[in-house]
Amino acid sequence: MENVEKVCQFLTEAGVYYLATVDGDQPRVRPFGTALLYGGKLYIQTGKVKDVSKQLAANAKAEICAFKDGKWLRVAGELVNDDDRGAKVAMLEKMPSLKAMYSPDDGNMQMLYFRNAAATFSSFTEAPETICF
Ligand SMILES: Cc1cc2nc3c(=O)[nH]c(=O)nc-3n(C[C@H](O)[C@H](O)[C@H](O)COP(=O)(O)O)c2cc1C
């Protein structure tokens, strides 16, 4: 399995992760659940109307954290907007419940992928493993 695939699989199986952004000098964090591997990149999804989207437009630096089966994953990097329609369609196919709120051409649905990312898997029993992508 490709390293970035391992990261996406962990996020998918965890179901929920927490996304931190920067708002001036104030960290902001909220639960997220979207994760998709598309064209070799790790994508998440949001709405352009949300504060989280505005924060990322002003400062792309972000970090996410998920926990599953005694292991936790942190992914730190930049989240980059991608208006590729295929990425939106693929996300809606993977997570059909999003179709109640978003569609590829609604002007709101936003796909963001990780750039300059370092993903670290940690646990209390094993040495941390870091993957860069
Ligand atoms: C379990 C769970 C998963 C969520 N996943 C997402 C997601 O993938 N994308 C998204 O935009 N909002 C998601 N939300 C909703 C956001 O947490 C919520 O809209 C939040 O207020 C956005 O942050 P903001 O208020 O700073 O913009 C999720 C909420 C929950 C409870």
Side-chain angles (χ1 to χ4, degrees):
M1 195 189 299
E2 286 275 334
N3 282 336
V4 63
E5 263 183 270
K6 254 174 70 173
V7 173
C8 190
Q9 183 174 323
F10 189 96
L11 294 174
T12 300
E13 290 176 2
V16 182
Y17 59 88
Y18 296 88
L19 167 64
T21 52
V22 178
D23 183 10
D25 69 349
Q26 177 65 54
R28 303 282 182 195
V29 65
R30 73 287 286 161
F32 261 45
T34 50
L36 173 74
L37 195 66
Y38 182 80
K41 295 179 191 154
L42 175 63
Y43 283 85
I44 70 167
Q45 182 275 335
T46 192
K48 289 184 178 175
V49 297
K50 293 193 183 191
D51 289 347
V52 57
S53 174
K54 290 168 191 154
Q55 286 153 22
L56 288 167
N59 184 343
K61 286 196 176 160
E63 184 156 330
I64 65 179
C65 183
F67 176 77
K68 177 179 76 81
D69 298 337
K71 282 190 172 193
W72 60 100
L73 167 67
R74 286 186 285 187
V75 185
E78 294 159 11
L79 280 170
V80 181
N81 176 69
D82 188 350
D83 287 320
D84 184 312
R85 196 174 189 281
K88 295 180 186 180
V89 170
M91 180 63 90
L92 294 170
E93 288 307 306
K94 180 175 178 185
M95 299 187 155
S97 61
L98 292 174
K99 289 181 185 171
M101 289 172 281
Y102 299 99
S103 67
D105 305 309
D106 62 9
N108 181 40
M109 182 173 181
Q110 182 175 36
M111 297 294 288
L112 300 143
Y113 67 87
F114 268 103
R115 181 172 69 189
N116 297 330
T120 303
F121 290 97
S122 303
S123 78
F124 288 120
T125 54
E126 287 168 57
E129 179 196 357
T130 298
I131 292 166
C132 295
F133 56 93

